[in-house]
Amino acid sequence: MTSSTNKTTDYTKEKNRRVHAKRNVWSGFLFGIGLVAFIDETVFHQLLHWHHFYDRSTTDVGLVSDGFFHAFSWFATVASLFLFADLQRRKALWPKRWLGGVFVGAGAFQLYDGLVQHKLLELHQIRYGVDLLPYDLAWNITAAALLLVGWFLLWKTPNTPAKPNGTRE
């Protein structure tokens, strides 16, 4: 292969990335949601027994709600991996953009959980019988940090690919 052929191939890959830039973000976003939901379910619901997805009823209802929450996290994860595989097949995977989507999805889910589910709807709290302020701060500051990392990674990946001569379209 000649050098010009490599540049043409790289340009085609870059064009594929641009065409599928949003798909990279959505795949990562869904994976981030699924990953954080899975960690939340495993650590706080199952291992520590701090809460259930829905704590305003009986323990049995809480366990059933955890099952639905767990199914949701896996549906998000599986959907993201189908999109990821499609990006790989099309040679359009943009790892930094995908990872930015993962962090944004993880942070968005964490913030939604902390503000909407914990405070607005009061479906559950992180923990019961303790001062919630340190837990809420840790939860929501972690969410904000995840979002900032994700937004930074997305900001560092422009939507326009480099031309073979190194300039932008």
Side-chain angles (χ1 to χ4, degrees):
M1 236 193 248
T2 65
S3 177
S4 66
T5 305
N6 282 339
K7 287 183 180 180
T8 303
T9 303
D10 290 343
Y11 183 59
T12 302
K13 182 178 179 180
E14 289 298 318
K15 281 184 84 169
N16 281 344
R17 283 180 168 184
R18 186 193 65 211
V19 169
H20 299 291
K22 287 182 183 177
R23 186 174 284 197
N24 274 273
V25 175
W26 278 110
S27 173
F29 185 82
L30 287 172
F31 189 81
I33 288 173
L35 177 65
V36 168
F38 175 76
I39 291 169
D40 180 13
E41 166 74 21
T42 302
V43 174
F44 299 104
H45 297 225
Q46 294 175 4
L47 296 176
L48 297 175
H49 299 271
W50 281 3
H51 63 261
H52 296 291
F53 178 75
Y54 184 73
D55 273 341
R56 298 181 81 182
S57 187
T58 66
T59 302
D60 288 342
V61 170
L63 288 172
V64 169
S65 71
D66 284 348
F68 283 116
F69 179 50
H70 192 67
F72 162 77
S73 73
W74 279 109
F75 282 127
T77 304
V78 169
S80 76
L81 294 176
F82 272 103
L83 287 170
F84 185 88
D86 183 58
L87 290 166
Q88 285 278 65
R89 181 184 63 79
R90 294 174 187 265
K91 297 187 181 356
L93 180 64
W94 199 337
K96 188 186 284 188
R97 205 157 177 76
W98 186 84
L99 189 59
V102 170
F103 278 100
V104 169
F109 178 82
Q110 185 89 356
L111 195 59
Y112 165 79
D113 187 39
L115 296 178
V116 176
Q117 292 182 7
H118 295 179
K119 300 302 170 200
L120 184 64
L121 300 177
E122 297 180 348
L123 296 178
H124 61 265
Q125 293 299 322
I126 297 171
R127 213 171 161 191
Y128 294 96
V130 297
D131 179 17
L132 287 175
L133 184 61
Y135 292 94
D136 288 337
L137 288 174
W139 198 267
N140 293 321
I141 289 170
T142 300
L146 291 167
L147 279 169
L148 287 173
V149 168
W151 284 330
F152 177 76
L153 288 171
L154 293 175
W155 176 69
K156 294 297 282 179
T157 56
N159 281 334
T160 58
K163 289 183 178 178
N165 64 5
T167 62
R168 296 260 172 221
E169 285 186 329

